[in-house]
Amino acid sequence: MKIQDTRSTKVQLLERLGATGTESVQTLFAKNIGWFVPDSMALSWVGPRTKCNQVAAFFH
C-alpha cells in the first residue's frame, strides 16, 4: 500500500464518520480483519473484531 492510498482511506473514513453513518465505514475495511479493542464489562461495543460487518457496531 502506498502512502497516498493510506491517506486517501483515512480521509474517506473521517468523511464517512462525519456525514453518512457507520454502515458505509465498514466498506473501507477488508472482509477479514484482526482488530481488538480492550474489553470492559460495562461497554458492549468493545472486544475483538474479525469481520468487516462488525465495524459499524463499534463506530455506532
Side-chain angles (χ1 to χ4, degrees), residues 8-59:
S8 174
T9 301
K10 180 176 66 175
V11 168
Q12 287 180 53
L13 173 66
L14 295 174
E15 287 173 349
R16 291 178 188 199
L17 282 174
T20 61
T22 56
E23 287 75 23
S24 67
V25 169
Q26 70 190 25
T27 63
L28 296 173
F29 289 79
K31 182 178 179 180
N32 296 308
I33 59 175
W35 183 14
F36 179 74
V37 178
D39 285 9
S40 169
M41 296 299 282
L43 304 172
S44 63
W45 48 268
V46 295
R49 303 280 187 249
T50 58
K51 305 287 183 198
C52 70
N53 63 356
Q54 298 169 316
V55 171
F58 173 81
F59 285 109

